[in-house]
Amino acid sequence: MKTEMIMWLFPVVFMVHEFEEIIFVRRWIDRNREELARRFPRLSERMLPRLEGISTASFAFVVAEEFILVALVTFGAYWFSLYALFIGMIIGYGMHLAVHIVQFFIFRRYIPAIVTSALTGVYVLYAIYYFYVNGLMPLPDVVIFTVAAVLTLAANLALMHKLAEMLDL
């Protein structure tokens, strides 16, 4: 598989995962609210009001903005051959998938995003492997871009969730 194909697949892979979350998260929260509160009372006190306050439309708004960001960074990384930036973003996304996998094992039942976390996780592992074996992953740059990507995406996600709450879509 060519480098370009791996890079341009990322926004598609990202959206496949996000579609599972958009479609299933609202109903899942409604169905599992009591179980979450019983098993994880402290976490539920903080998280459930926030999650329940976000409509499907607001969540889709957040995902749309994240998609634009992912697509722009992918384009910039491709255009300027900043492969370490791309891999940093891929590793950040892989960390996001790992959180879902841990959530699945802790909750011990279906959670929105587990199916696509497993499926798109294969893409993440392949992309990292491909860039590594082809010498396109200088470790110091990858570490810097991974930290930058994770911090940027976390800050962006927090900001977008606040904005979605304010807009009340």
Side-chain angles (χ1 to χ4, degrees), residues 10 13 16 18 38 64-65 76 103 106 108 119 122 129 139 146 169:
F10 180 56
V13 165
V16 166
E18 294 300 321
R38 184 185 67 76
E65 187 274 342
Q103 290 170 332
I106 290 171
R108 294 189 297 265
L119 294 174
V122 173
Y129 167 79
L139 189 57
T146 298
L169 300 174

Side-chain angles (χ1 to χ4, degrees), residues 26 29 33 42-54 165:
R26 174 89 260 137
I29 290 169
R33 177 185 302 110
R42 284 188 178 172
L43 184 61
S44 293
E45 279 179 31
R46 286 191 354 236
M47 296 302 292
L48 281 177
R50 292 175 117 183
L51 293 171
E52 291 171 337
I54 297 176
E165 285 176 34

Side-chain angles (χ1 to χ4, degrees), residues 87-98:
I87 288 299
M89 188 171 55
I90 291 291
I91 291 171
Y93 175 69
M95 292 166 66
H96 169 79
L97 299 179

Side-chain angles (χ1 to χ4, degrees), residues 8-27:
W8 287 116
L9 271 176
F10 180 56
V12 174
V13 165
F14 174 83
M15 280 311 301
V16 166
H17 171 72
E18 294 300 321
F19 283 140
E20 183 183 10
E21 290 185 299
I22 291 169
I23 293 166
F24 295 111
V25 77
R26 174 89 260 137
R27 193 168 191 203

Side-chain angles (χ1 to χ4, degrees), residues 27-164:
R27 193 168 191 203
W28 185 88
I29 290 169
D30 293 343
R31 287 184 172 177
N32 291 280
R33 177 185 302 110
E34 291 173 12
E35 179 71 8
L36 289 166
R38 184 185 67 76
R39 288 182 56 196
F40 313 103
R42 284 188 178 172
L43 184 61
S44 293
E45 279 179 31
R46 286 191 354 236
M47 296 302 292
L48 281 177
R50 292 175 117 183
L51 293 171
E52 291 171 337
I54 297 176
S55 67
T56 300
S58 293
F59 188 71
F61 171 75
V62 170
V63 169
E65 187 274 342
E66 287 179 327
F67 171 74
I68 291 167
L69 187 61
V70 162
L72 288 173
V73 172
T74 299
F75 176 77
Y78 171 76
W79 187 261
F80 296 107
S81 299
L82 294 171
Y83 301 126
L85 169 62
F86 178 75
I87 288 299
M89 188 171 55
I90 291 291
I91 291 171
Y93 175 69
M95 292 166 66
H96 169 79
L97 299 179
V99 167
H100 287 311
I101 292 168
V102 168
Q103 290 170 332
F104 171 74
F105 283 111
I106 290 171
F107 198 61
R108 294 189 297 265
R109 64 172 77 156
Y110 173 81
I111 61 162
I114 190 59
V115 173
T116 55
S117 290
L119 294 174
T120 64
V122 173
Y123 162 83
V124 167
L125 293 173
Y126 180 76
I128 293 168
Y129 167 79
Y130 177 89
F131 278 75
Y132 176 75
V133 298
N134 287 292
L136 301 172
M137 250 178 78
L139 189 57
D141 293 347
V142 169
V143 169
I144 290 167
F145 280 120
T146 298
V147 170
V150 168
L151 293 175
T152 301
L153 293 173
N156 180 66
L157 185 60
L159 176 67
M160 290 307 298
H161 274 280
K162 287 280 188 206
L163 185 57

